């Protein structure tokens, strides 16, 4: 096993990047902790990959500073930073065998032939490619090539491993497998991982924290659970999973907390993000009832659609004021009376709604 | 026969017919001459493979072509890198430099080199003018002149296969190498060059095969002293009429080229062994 002492801590302060007149990144400040698994998540063109390239040293930031373990590295070139990198499409050396690929960074570091041999064997074993060492990358499957790329990037114990959408070319099953493997490798090596993806499930499953990017700006940086339960703005709320956004009129604060009005009813929700023009509620947080539940937020609505999805069922509803709601509940909890056109009450606890 | 095969044959028909008429039939005629003139037998081949003059011409041709190939491919590699990986202005300039020679005939270019390289040419006049040399350097009517003229003609033909090899290179592979701490020199020698090796082999093949059949440039810049195979064939057929021997030399050249093509094609596509 590798020692985690070598894991690096990265600090970015006010990083901005312009390509001509186009602003790709604007004022990104964040810290990636030692041994952390940070995911940069966002739609394409959000600047997440540009930020990763700046971390790697392949792009220079227009503004801002970067440091590694407290030492400024803004002007340090990629070769000297020596962060491990796994690219989309793997970027293996096609003219070298698996073993030669993995040995490449070790040769660069001029380690002894004996050390290289031992280390390569160890890495081949770690990523489960025993017996494939003498093959060229073109003779391997996508998943295997991915493993080689990981082994190569980790072989020389870089302080930070950067991953640019490494699973995007894999099919769904393989993806799940590689994610498990990635989690294991992260745990085993203790290296700091910075991972770029546009797949939200992947981000939620793997990360210790997620940084959400949009239009070159950092929208939110928090643990997967916090980001999911307490999105800080409408973009984050809608980008990650399904959510109901109810337009409310201005939020007031009374003795029991924040309250606003939706279709003539008082709605209570968490107000720590400062917004007040809408309330966001996850579909799975809503409860269906035949009667109003006075202790919760309670809204009358009619069922417009029932979608059976196996373990869960998704219901589409319309409120009296014409707003659409979506809720999902375990299929065995769907009342027998549920049918298109049937009137119900939709309820949720105040702590499960967020003012945006 | 499948339908697309049929329509492909229809479309290819005129070209195939032309190739038959213009190349295959005449070549069969040459083949016949080589065995029948002046009398039936293998006499011409025996002559061609024992005559010291013919052998020395074959030797010179091989030597000149190898040198020309090395010079052309090496220069073309540098030109390609400047062209494909440069900024927009540099790319335009390089493009013009590669294309302009294409618009000038071989003959004009050979005479152009003659004007530059001959004993009283521009280069010698200049060298003597600034006092670097007292006697003119002999740069034409020898192999040096032939190599210069041929390489100049062949470089663009090497640039195109190299350019496609360099363009198809996955930029991320280079980034990956740099990211792992490899400096520019190392990236070039251990990653860039091996990855473009198929392009280099392809370029070398084109240049070498092309060079083997060169006639005008060696005739002018060699000035009758550095005779190469194509010129020898011409001499045997038009000046010292010995059609049988000329034909036999042509056939030997042809077989050599075919053999080389086969060998190099195999090298460029090393199959699926891993």
């Amino acid at each position: 096993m590798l020692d985690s002492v070598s894991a690096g801590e990265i600090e970015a302060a006010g990083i901005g990047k312009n390509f001509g007149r186009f602003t790709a990144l604007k004022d990104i400040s964040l810290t990636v902790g030692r041994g952390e698994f940070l995911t940069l998540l966002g739609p394409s063109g959000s600047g997440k990959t540009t930020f990763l390239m700046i971390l790697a040293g392949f792009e220079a930031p227009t503004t801002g500073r970067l440091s590694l373990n407290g030492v400024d590295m803004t002007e340090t070139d990629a070769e000297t930073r020596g962060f491990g990198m796994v690219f989309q499409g793997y970027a293996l050396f096609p003219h070298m065998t698996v073993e030669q690929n993995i040995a490449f960074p070790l040769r660069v570091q001029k380690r002894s032939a004996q050390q290289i041999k031992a280390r390569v064997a160890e890495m081949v074993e770690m990523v489960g490619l025993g017996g494939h060492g003498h093959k060229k990358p073109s003779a391997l499957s996508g998943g295997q090539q991915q493993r080689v790329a990981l082994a190569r990037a980790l072989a020389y114990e870089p302080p930070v491993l950067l991953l640019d959408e490494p699973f995007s070319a894999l099919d769904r099953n393989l993806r799940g497998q590689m994610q498990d493997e990635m989690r294991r490798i992260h745990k085993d090596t203790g290296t700091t991982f910075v991972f770029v993806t546009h797949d939200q499930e992947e981000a939620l499953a793997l990360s210790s924290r997620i940084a959400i990017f949009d239009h070159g700006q950092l929208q939110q940086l928090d643990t997967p659970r916090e980001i999911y339960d307490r999105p800080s703005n409408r973009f984050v709320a809608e980008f990650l999973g399904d959510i109901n956004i109810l337009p409310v009129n201005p939020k007031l604060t009374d003795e029991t907390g924040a309250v606003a009005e939706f279709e003539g009813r008082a709605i209570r929700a968490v107000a720590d993000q400062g917004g007040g023009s809408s309330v966001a509620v996850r579909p799975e947080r809503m409860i269906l009832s035949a009667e109003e539940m006075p202790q919760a937020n309670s809204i009358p609505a009619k069922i417009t659609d029932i979608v059976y999805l196996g373990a869960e069922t998704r219901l589409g509803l319309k409120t009296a004021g014409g707003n659409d709601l979506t809720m999902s509940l375990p299929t065995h909890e769907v009342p027998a009376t549920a049918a298109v056109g049937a009137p119900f009450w939709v309820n949720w606890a105040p702590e499960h709604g967020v003012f945006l | 026969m499948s339908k697309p095969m049929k329509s492909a044959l229809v479309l290819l028909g005129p070209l195939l017919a032309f190739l038959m008429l213009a190349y295959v039939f005449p070549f069969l005629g040459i083949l016949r001459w080589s065995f029948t003139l002046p009398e039936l037998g293998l006499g011409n081949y025996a002559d061609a493979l024992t005559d010291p003059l013919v052998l020395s011409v074959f030797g010179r041709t091989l030597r000149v072509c190898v040198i020309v190939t090395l010079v052309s491919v090496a220069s073309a590699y540098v030109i390609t890198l400047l062209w494909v990986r440069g900024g927009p202005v540099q790319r335009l300039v390089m493009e013009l430099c590669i294309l302009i020679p294409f618009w000038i005939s071989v003959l004009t270019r050979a005479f152009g080199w003659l004007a530059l390289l001959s004993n009283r040419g521009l280069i010698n006049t200049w060298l003597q003018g600034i006092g670097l040399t007292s006697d003119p350097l002999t740069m034409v009517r020898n192999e040096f002149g032939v190599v210069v003229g041929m390489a100049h003609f062949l470089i663009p033909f090497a640039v195109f296969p190299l350019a496609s090899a360099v363009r198809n290179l996955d930029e991320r592979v280079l980034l990956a190498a740099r990211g792992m701490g490899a400096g520019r020199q190392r990236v070039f020698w251990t990653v860039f060059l091996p990855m473009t090796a198929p392009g280099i082999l392809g370029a070398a093949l084109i240049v070498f095969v092309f060079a083997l059949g060169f006639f005008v440039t060696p005739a002018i810049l060699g000035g009758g002293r550095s005779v190469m195979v194509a010129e020898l064939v011409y001499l045997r057929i038009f000046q010292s009429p010995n059609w049988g021997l000329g034909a036999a030399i042509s056939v030997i050249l042809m077989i050599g080229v075919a053999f080389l093509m086969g060998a190099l094609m195999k090298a460029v596509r090393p199959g699926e062994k891993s």
Side-chain angles (χ1 to χ4, degrees):
Chain A
M1 290 304 100
L2 307 175
D3 59 274
S4 56
V5 184
S6 62
E9 182 188 80
I10 296 181
E11 196 180 339
I15 295 293
K17 177 73 183 174
N18 301 329
F19 294 105
R21 276 195 213 155
F22 174 70
T23 305
L25 284 177
K26 210 172 146 187
D27 196 24
I28 309 286
S29 297
L30 56 82
T31 304
V32 193
R34 216 174 281 278
E36 187 176 10
F37 195 129
L38 178 76
T39 296
L40 312 179
L41 178 68
S44 51
S46 59
K48 58 190 192 300
T49 300
T50 306
F51 187 64
L52 194 76
M53 290 298 154
I54 288 174
L55 289 183
F58 296 136
E59 295 275 1
T62 313
T63 62
R65 312 297 299 173
L66 281 175
S67 63
L68 175 66
N69 298 331
V71 181
D72 188 281
M73 62 161 183
T74 317
E75 315 292 335
T76 312
D77 59 18
E79 292 95 296
T80 317
R81 286 185 203 183
F83 293 169
M85 177 110 193
V86 177
F87 290 82
Q88 206 173 354
Y90 325 132
L92 298 175
F93 304 127
H95 57 292
M96 298 184 195
T97 63
V98 169
E99 285 175 350
Q100 288 167 338
N101 263 283
I102 299 173
F104 183 87
L106 305 170
R107 293 230 164 86
V108 170
Q109 295 188 344
K110 299 200 165 60
R111 302 214 191 162
S112 74
Q114 231 172 347
Q115 268 181 316
I116 292 178
K117 204 170 161 218
R119 183 70 182 147
V120 167
E122 191 186 339
M123 293 314 290
V124 167
E125 219 43 61
M126 176 171 122
V127 295
L129 282 175
H132 296 286
H134 295 289
K135 291 185 181 168
K136 291 264 177 74
S138 56
L140 301 177
S141 70
Q144 290 170 326
Q145 292 186 32
Q146 181 61 75
R147 285 161 216 255
V148 179
L150 256 176
R152 185 180 65 175
L154 287 167
Y156 61 107
E157 296 162 59
V160 178
L161 181 67
L162 307 172
L163 304 111
D164 184 15
E165 307 220 16
F167 305 141
S168 60
L170 302 179
D171 65 44
R172 215 182 145 73
N173 286 333
L174 205 51
R175 221 177 234 240
Q177 244 178 54
M178 285 306 298
Q179 286 171 12
D180 291 345
E181 203 138 317
M182 182 80 93
R183 242 199 320 264
R184 174 180 67 81
I185 290 171
H186 176 246
K187 220 171 76 195
D188 287 354
T189 59
T191 303
T192 308
F193 278 38
V194 182
F195 180 86
V196 162
T197 184
H198 62 261
D199 183 323
Q200 26 166 306
E201 268 178 50
E202 206 164 271
L204 292 171
L206 292 172
S207 326
S208 46
R209 283 192 305 158
I210 300 177
I212 307 252
F213 280 70
D214 186 44
H215 286 101
Q217 281 174 295
L218 182 60
Q219 303 290 328
Q220 191 170 0
L221 172 62
D222 222 321
T223 61
R225 180 171 285 269
E226 275 300 305
I227 287 202
Y228 188 79
D229 287 342
R230 297 264 183 279
S232 65
N233 60 43
R234 189 164 178 149
F235 173 81
V236 175
E238 289 182 318
F239 185 71
L240 210 65
D242 294 323
I243 201 156
N244 291 293
I245 307 241
L246 312 177
V248 295
N249 59 12
K251 170 184 73 175
L252 303 166
T253 309
D254 64 13
E255 63 281 0
T256 52
V259 65
E261 177 251 315
F262 172 75
E263 295 185 1
R265 293 176 172 276
I267 300 280
R268 292 186 177 279
V270 178
D272 50 15
Q273 310 296 354
S277 60
S278 51
V279 167
V281 194
R282 296 285 176 194
E284 69 276 12
R285 292 296 194 185
M286 292 174 155
I287 302 161
L288 206 60
S289 68
E291 304 293 331
E292 183 176 1
M293 299 170 79
Q295 71 279 27
N297 293 311
S298 205
I299 295 170
K302 278 186 178 157
I303 294 179
T304 55
D305 194 19
I306 302 177
V307 184
Y308 171 74
L309 296 170
E312 62 173 37
T313 296
R314 203 168 64 220
L315 299 180
L317 300 111
K318 210 174 220 27
T319 63
N323 284 294
D324 288 314
L325 298 177
T326 303
M327 58 183 292
S328 66
L329 58 170
T331 296
H332 61 86
E333 284 179 15
V334 177
T337 48
V340 171
F344 277 96
W345 289 82
V346 174
N347 319 278
W348 68 93
E351 67 268 25
H352 291 152
V354 179
F355 276 110
L356 292 180
Chain B
M1 195 183 287
S2 67
K3 235 185 160 170
M5 270 290 279
K6 259 187 203 160
S7 52
L9 266 187
V10 170
L11 288 170
L12 278 174
L15 179 66
L16 288 176
F18 173 77
L19 287 176
M20 286 297 274
L21 277 173
Y23 288 95
V24 179
F25 283 134
F27 183 71
L28 289 176
I30 301 248
L31 202 60
R32 205 189 54 181
W33 285 355
S34 73
F35 289 111
T36 57
L37 289 179
E39 57 196 26
L40 197 66
L42 292 169
N44 288 323
Y45 289 93
D47 285 352
L49 295 173
T50 49
D51 183 346
L53 174 73
V54 177
L55 286 180
S56 82
V57 170
F58 269 127
R60 176 184 299 121
T61 307
L62 214 58
R63 183 173 64 240
V64 168
C65 289
V66 167
I67 296 171
V68 164
T69 303
L70 292 177
V71 170
S72 305
V73 174
S75 324
Y77 203 85
V78 176
I79 291 172
T80 304
L81 292 186
L82 292 175
W83 177 32
V84 176
R85 299 180 71 82
V89 178
Q90 187 179 327
R91 242 180 310 196
L92 188 74
V93 172
M94 293 310 297
E95 223 154 279
L96 285 175
C97 291
I98 295 163
L99 287 177
I100 285 174
F102 261 128
W103 304 333
I104 303 165
S105 91
V106 203
L107 213 57
T108 316
R109 278 197 264 172
F111 282 118
W113 280 111
L114 208 55
L116 276 174
L117 301 176
S118 69
N119 283 358
R120 273 184 282 169
L122 280 176
I123 292 176
N124 270 319
T125 317
W126 177 73
L127 283 177
Q128 285 168 307
I130 62 169
L132 262 175
T133 54
S134 48
D135 296 318
L137 298 174
T138 315
M139 294 184 287
V140 283
R141 295 171 69 79
N142 60 10
E143 280 177 26
F144 178 81
V146 175
V147 168
V148 169
M150 286 173 71
H152 179 235
F153 184 85
L154 289 168
I155 284 169
F157 293 94
V159 166
F160 293 110
L162 287 175
S164 90
V166 171
R167 280 208 189 93
N168 288 336
L169 200 101
D170 185 350
E171 197 71 24
R172 287 174 299 197
V173 176
L174 305 179
L175 286 185
R178 276 183 54 207
M180 286 181 278
R184 279 169 198 284
Q185 289 278 331
R186 191 181 195 103
V187 172
F188 178 79
W189 292 108
T190 61
V191 180
F192 196 95
L193 198 64
M195 281 180 75
T196 51
I200 295 173
L201 275 175
L205 172 70
I206 290 174
V207 169
F208 189 80
V209 169
F210 225 142
L212 280 176
F214 255 53
F215 177 72
V216 175
T217 310
I220 293 172
L221 290 167
R225 290 196 187 176
S226 301
V227 175
M228 286 180 45
V229 165
E231 199 181 350
L232 183 68
V233 172
Y234 170 85
L235 292 174
R236 284 294 163 272
I237 293 201
F238 289 95
Q239 293 192 350
S240 58
N242 188 347
W243 289 15
L245 186 59
I249 295 171
S250 305
V251 172
I252 293 171
L253 182 63
M254 176 89 183
I255 290 169
V257 168
F259 182 77
L260 266 174
M261 294 271 275
L264 276 168
M265 293 280 241
K266 235 183 195 164
V268 175
R269 267 185 282 267
E272 267 70 56
K273 60 180 166 136
S274 51

